[in-house]
């Protein structure tokens, strides 16, 4: 069974911080619309125009050049120019730090692969790229680095994947195409991470204008809806009814998740603007391209399923670039993958706490559910079965009626574990609601302390139950 990873990609863009809203219980829904929703939608327009406009500009210029003469190198030069333009409009003079970092890591990888006798070049590249990112965070002021944290993270992930592909012999080092890939306006600011191969195939896609525009509009609408949910409606619901500690905790954690959905859908729309292809034509990990699946997170079968669908491209990146390359030990592969996931997020101990906690929670949940599934020969593992199930008692077994007692029991057990996952996601996610990584560790731990560290005790009970059986 595979183990998947939580990837906190919420706060890589601080745009949504400009739209904080303090709701009061006396306000009506109409007041919230006037005081928050309308203003938030108007203010986010400039960011959407920058992100989508530069992607469309890149694509339109390339389409014009193709009509005259298709010069592949021109596609990469346009990618560099439009990507840096979008970055400049987004973060201003701080763009220079990203440019310096790109030249730095590209030069290192080029020199490294010129050394014929050196082994494990991908590993050395990965180490240096992460070190460069962490060093930049140490040297720059916190406020300045926060503005470029997202692009810095995306550039690091892209270059690490390219370095390993060159090591495997699937790619060769070429300055302009690689820099074009790193600077691509489709994913430089908000992501998502896309494979180098996908970037190179973008210039081959044909225009499908109607489907393209409809899909872009669809993802923009979803993005804005989730932003308003996060900043306006959920705070209003929180003040409208005092439902107790867990009610407020759930809404706070859901607000964090909606911020993530906002960025994910907006990044998907940006990608579609630049690729000029219907989303079903994009594939990642041999399946249709998706950035996030909210339904699998809000109503999860297990923590593992929620982790997998939190940031699908980054999950694929971690699995293919880190996890599958560690052959010495399965447990070591998991630990190393979590470590890399932490480090690419920079110095943020809140993320470290949540990542490690979630890793342990999901690990023992997977172990316990697999053991119970084998003991009772029932389909209650953390990951659902696919076409055929190896267990006797499975609700998806067409030979058994859904209303039989074993099938109902299996559904009930899976529902209980899913409910536990919802509780754990609320418990862990509420820590990110403050997004105060500069505060003292003990001050942030008060959030969990007020909840009596319920999530950790619950995970400990599951671990103890697993060891006893």
């Amino acid at each position: 069974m595979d183990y998947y990873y939580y990837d906190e990609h919420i706060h890589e863009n601080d745009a949504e911080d400009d739209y904080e809203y303090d709701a009061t219980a006396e306000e009506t829904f109409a007041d919230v619309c006037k005081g928050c929703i309308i203003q938030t939608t108007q203010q986010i327009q400039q960011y959407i125009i920058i992100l989508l406009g530069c992607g469309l500009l890149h694509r339109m210029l390339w389409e014009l050049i193709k009509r005259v003469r298709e010069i592949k190198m021109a596609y990469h030069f346009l990618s560099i120019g439009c990507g840096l333009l979008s970055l400049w409009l987004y973060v201003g003079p701080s763009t220079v730090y990203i440019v310096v970092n790109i030249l730095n890591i590209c030069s290192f990888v080029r020199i490294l692969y010129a050394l014929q006798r050196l082994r494990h070049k991908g590993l050395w590249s990965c180490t240096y790229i992460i070190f460069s990112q962490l060093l930049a965070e140490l040297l720059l002021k916190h406020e300045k680095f926060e503005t470029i944290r997202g692009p810095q993270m995306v550039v690091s992930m892209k270059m690490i994947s390219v370095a390993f592909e060159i090591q495997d012999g699937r790619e060769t080092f070429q300055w302009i195409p690689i820099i074009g890939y790193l600077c691509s306006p489709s994913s430089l600011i908000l992501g998502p991470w896309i494979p180098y191969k996908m970037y190179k195939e973008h210039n081959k896609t044909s225009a499908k204008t109607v489907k393209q525009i409809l899909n872009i509009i669809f993802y923009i609408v979803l993005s804005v809806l989730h932003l308003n949910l996060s900043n306006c409606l959920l705070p209003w619901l929180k003040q409208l009814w005092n439902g107790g500690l867990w009610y407020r905790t759930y809404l706070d954690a859901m607000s964090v998740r909606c911020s993530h959905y906002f960025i994910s859908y907006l990044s998907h729309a940006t990608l579609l603007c630049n690729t000029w292809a219907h989303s079903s034509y994009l594939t990642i990990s041999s399946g249709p391209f998706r950035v996030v699946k909210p339904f699998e997170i809000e109503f999860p079968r297990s923590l593992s399923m929620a982790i997998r669908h939190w940031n699908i491209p980054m999950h694929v990146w971690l699995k293919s670039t880190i996890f599958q390359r560690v052959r010495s030990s399965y447990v070591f592969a998991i630990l190393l993958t979590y470590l890399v996931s932490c480090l690419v997020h920079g110095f943020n101990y809140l993320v470290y706490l949540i990542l490690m906690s979630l890793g342990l929670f999901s690990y023992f949940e997977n172990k316990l559910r697999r053991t119970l599934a084998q003991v009772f020969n029932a389909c209650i593992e953390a990951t659902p079965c696919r076409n055929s199930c190896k267990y006797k008692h499975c609700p998806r077994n067409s030979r058994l009626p859904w209303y039989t007692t074993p099938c109902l029991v299996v559904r009930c057990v899976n529902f209980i574990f899913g409910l536990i996952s919802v509780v754990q996601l609320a418990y862990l996610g509420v820590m990110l609601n403050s997004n105060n990584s500069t505060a003292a560790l003990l001050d942030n731990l008060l959030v969990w302390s007020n909840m009596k560290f319920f999530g950790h005790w619950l995970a400990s009970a599951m671990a103890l139950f697993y060891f006893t059986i």
Side-chain angles (χ1 to χ4, degrees):
M1 178 186 295
D2 291 330
Y3 293 91
Y4 300 95
Y5 319 99
Y6 169 87
D7 306 305
E8 190 272 316
H9 210 208
I10 297 174
H11 299 294
E12 62 180 19
N13 171 28
D14 289 331
E16 65 267 33
D17 293 341
D18 297 332
Y19 316 114
E20 293 181 357
Y21 176 70
D22 295 324
T24 60
E26 292 78 14
E27 286 184 314
T28 64
F29 179 74
D31 295 329
V32 175
C33 290
K34 294 179 182 179
C36 183
I37 293 178
I38 295 177
Q39 292 184 13
T40 298
T41 305
Q42 290 175 345
Q43 290 173 332
I44 198 62
Q45 288 177 2
Q46 60 177 320
Y47 297 100
I48 295 177
I49 291 172
I50 292 172
L51 291 170
L52 275 61
C54 291
L56 285 172
L57 177 64
H58 177 210
R59 193 67 210 192
M60 290 171 64
L61 291 175
W62 171 240
E63 292 293 328
L64 290 175
I65 291 176
K66 280 202 306 183
R67 293 179 184 276
V68 179
R69 184 180 177 184
E70 186 170 336
I71 306 173
K72 291 185 178 180
M73 201 59 67
Y75 179 82
H76 305 303
F77 278 112
L78 288 173
S79 179
I80 296 171
C82 294
L84 293 181
L85 174 63
S86 68
L87 192 60
W88 180 269
L89 294 173
Y90 208 74
V91 301
S94 296
T95 301
V96 68
Y97 299 115
I98 301 295
V99 174
V100 170
N101 180 57
I102 290 174
L103 296 177
N104 168 41
I105 59 179
C106 285
S107 299
F108 179 84
V109 172
R110 181 66 185 91
I111 294 172
L112 192 69
Y113 280 91
L115 304 175
Q116 299 295 332
R117 297 183 179 181
L118 184 64
R119 300 178 60 189
H120 307 297
K121 295 179 182 178
L123 176 60
W124 285 109
S125 300
C126 178
T127 304
Y128 181 81
I129 292 167
I130 293 177
F131 171 78
S132 298
Q133 178 180 331
L134 297 178
L135 182 62
E137 186 171 359
L138 286 174
L139 295 178
L140 296 176
K141 293 182 179 180
H142 176 76
E143 296 78 10
K144 184 170 292 186
F145 185 81
E146 284 301 313
T147 62
I148 62 170
R149 179 185 295 275
Q152 191 93 317
M153 180 178 173
V154 173
V155 167
S156 297
M157 291 171 59
K158 286 182 177 180
M159 197 63 213
I160 290 172
S161 63
V162 169
F164 278 109
E165 288 177 359
I166 296 175
Q167 174 185 278
D168 297 339
R170 296 197 300 267
E171 298 290 347
T172 57
F173 188 93
Q174 295 177 293
W175 279 96
I176 301 304
I178 289 178
I179 295 178
Y181 167 58
L182 299 181
C183 294
S184 175
S186 65
S187 57
L188 176 59
I189 296 178
L190 298 182
W193 171 82
I194 57 174
Y196 186 38
K197 181 180 178 181
M198 179 186 290
Y199 162 77
K200 293 194 299 182
E201 291 178 349
H202 285 175
N203 59 1
K204 302 176 183 178
T205 56
S206 58
K208 295 177 173 60
T209 309
V210 177
K211 289 184 178 180
Q212 188 76 358
I213 293 175
L214 291 177
N215 274 274
I216 292 171
I217 293 174
F218 174 70
Y219 283 112
I220 291 174
V221 170
L222 285 179
S223 175
V224 174
L225 284 176
H226 283 98
L227 176 63
N228 284 312
L229 269 174
S230 175
N231 288 350
C232 304
L233 295 178
L234 291 177
W236 176 62
L237 290 175
K238 185 179 174 182
Q239 297 297 327
L240 194 64
W241 178 57
N242 185 11
L245 176 62
W246 278 101
Y247 172 76
R248 297 193 301 272
T249 299
Y250 178 79
L251 290 184
D252 286 341
M254 188 175 182
S255 178
V256 172
R257 297 196 296 271
C258 286
S259 291
H260 173 64
Y261 303 151
F262 154 65
I263 290 178
S264 298
Y265 284 128
L266 186 55
S267 66
H268 201 159
T270 307
L271 181 64
L272 289 177
C273 281
N274 189 246
T275 57
W276 209 270
H278 188 268
S279 59
S280 62
Y281 291 91
L282 303 174
T283 60
I284 184 169
S285 186
S286 69
F289 187 91
R290 297 289 185 273
V291 178
V292 67
K293 292 185 178 181
F295 187 84
E296 300 291 344
I297 299 170
E298 299 300 325
F299 306 99
R301 176 188 174 96
S302 63
L303 282 176
S304 295
M305 295 301 294
I307 293 167
R308 179 193 302 188
H309 297 106
W310 176 263
N311 189 330
I312 299 172
M314 191 170 185
H315 153 68
V316 173
W317 178 79
L318 284 168
K319 186 177 179 181
S320 60
T321 306
I322 308 299
F323 181 79
Q324 293 180 343
R325 295 180 180 276
V326 181
R327 306 180 185 276
S328 57
S329 169
Y330 190 73
V331 175
F332 178 71
I334 296 173
L335 294 175
L336 182 62
T337 307
Y338 270 99
L339 176 62
V340 172
S341 180
C342 288
L343 292 177
V344 294
H345 286 91
F347 293 108
N348 191 330
Y349 62 81
L350 289 182
V351 174
Y352 298 171
L353 281 174
I354 295 171
L355 276 168
M356 294 306 175
S357 297
L358 188 54
L360 289 173
F361 293 2
S362 61
Y363 176 81
F364 287 114
E365 180 195 19
N366 290 343
K367 287 291 187 180
L368 175 60
R369 295 183 69 167
R370 173 181 286 185
T371 302
L372 292 175
Q374 293 172 350
V375 170
F376 295 102
N377 198 15
C379 185
I380 55 176
E381 286 196 23
T383 303
C385 60
R386 296 185 179 180
N387 296 329
S388 59
C389 186
K390 60 183 177 180
Y391 296 111
K392 177 181 178 181
H393 305 298
C394 177
R396 299 187 181 186
N397 191 339
S398 58
R399 294 173 298 177
L400 298 175
W402 65 269
Y403 52 82
T404 58
T405 301
C407 289
L408 292 177
V409 171
V410 168
R411 290 182 183 274
C412 183
V413 171
N414 286 328
F415 174 79
I416 293 173
F417 275 110
L419 188 60
I420 292 174
S421 299
V422 171
V423 172
Q424 293 287 40
L425 288 174
Y427 172 78
L428 294 170
V430 72
M431 180 70 82
L432 285 174
N433 192 55
S434 61
N435 192 29
N436 192 6
S437 59
T438 59
L441 175 61
L442 293 178
D443 293 337
N444 281 292
L445 286 178
L446 285 176
V447 177
W448 282 344
S449 177
N450 293 334
M451 303 171 70
K452 310 299 181 184
F453 293 96
F454 176 82
H456 287 83
W457 284 113
L458 179 60
S460 299
M462 295 175 69
L464 182 62
F465 185 35
Y466 163 69
F467 286 123
T468 55
I469 61 173

